[in-house]
Structures are given as C-alpha cells and as structure tokens.
Amino acid sequence: VLDTNGILISAASQEQKFPAIAFDGTNFLVVWQDNRSGNYEIYGSRVSPSGLVLDPSGIRISQTANENEFPSVAFDGTNYLVVWGNNDIYGAFVSPTGNILNQVCISNAIGDQTEPAIAFDGINYLVVWTDDRNGADISTIYGARLDKGGTVLDPAGILINNFF
C-alpha cells in the first residue's frame, strides 16, 4: 500500500459513494455518485500517479435529470466513457484533460435500467446493466455495444442473462 492514509479525492458536502476508476496511461479518472446538490449526480476527478488530485472540486459529468447513480468508467485509448443509471442508462465521453465531450443515451427501454458496468475491447465498448423491462419481479442483465464515437450498436439491447 503506497498511500497508507489514503488520498482524499472529494471533500464536497453530503454523500459521495460508489467510486469507479480507469487509467489513460498518464492519469487516473475517478468517478463517483455525489449528493452535494441534493440529487445524486455523477462527478469525476483526474488523479496523477503520484496521488495529486487534479480536479479538487470535481467535474460534474452527468447532465441528465433524476437521480444519477452507480457510475462505471473505461478508457478507449483516446477518451473515457463514463456510464451511469437513472432508470435509463446514459454515458458521457470525457477527454483526458477532463472536458465533457458528449452524452449518449445507451438504453431507455421500458422499466428501469440500473447498475451499469463497462469494458473496452480495443474496438468497442460493452456496457451491461440490470434491467426490469420484463417486469419488476424479473431481474435480467442486458448489454449494448458502443463504438468510440458513441453510436449504440445494439439499440434494443442484448439479453445477457435472465433469472426466471
């Protein structure tokens, strides 16, 4: 453990929870669910390998209404894609300099979509999430691929697993 006392990423008021992290070869991007405004939003901060927090106030990443929760992040060699749930699944591309580039709706199927996770395979992203489009008592996992430009390649989603 290099930082036995930890590194304070955010000292904002209220709750910050559910962090996720990715590395771009130069810096880390740490993202989290933040309640400083009274509603959960997704914030992030770049952190250098030496532990210097480059965005001490945080960068607001989510620009969607409702509660934005459960962030996940991946890096594609050029930009980060941060994803979150708010009854639908959204994402925002973030440059290594911390600029928000564009936001994309990944899934807005009927029912709630929550708790996304993301990975990048060298060509496309894969985002997966918990989905209740088949009824609140039926938990399913859906996914969708996105290209580096933000085009959702599977707009209806791909059924990954269902738990009937």
Side-chain angles (χ1 to χ4, degrees), residues 40-68:
Y40 284 116
E41 300 296 341
I42 305 304
Y43 274 77
S45 181
R46 295 168 302 133
V47 179
S48 75
S50 67
L52 177 64
V53 177
L54 301 173
D55 308 294
S57 297
I59 302 163
R60 183 175 168 202
I61 296 172
S62 61
Q63 303 295 320
T64 52
N66 302 323
E67 300 283 337
N68 299 290

Side-chain angles (χ1 to χ4, degrees), residues 2-13:
L2 300 175
D3 303 295
T4 56
N5 293 324
I7 299 169
L8 180 62
I9 305 293
S10 175
S13 63

Side-chain angles (χ1 to χ4, degrees), residues 18-42:
F18 301 113
I21 188 169
F23 186 66
D24 68 12
T26 302
N27 293 308
F28 298 93
L29 179 64
V30 180
V31 297
W32 65 89
Q33 179 177 314
D34 192 301
N35 195 27
R36 70 180 74 178
S37 68
N39 284 325
Y40 284 116
E41 300 296 341
I42 305 304

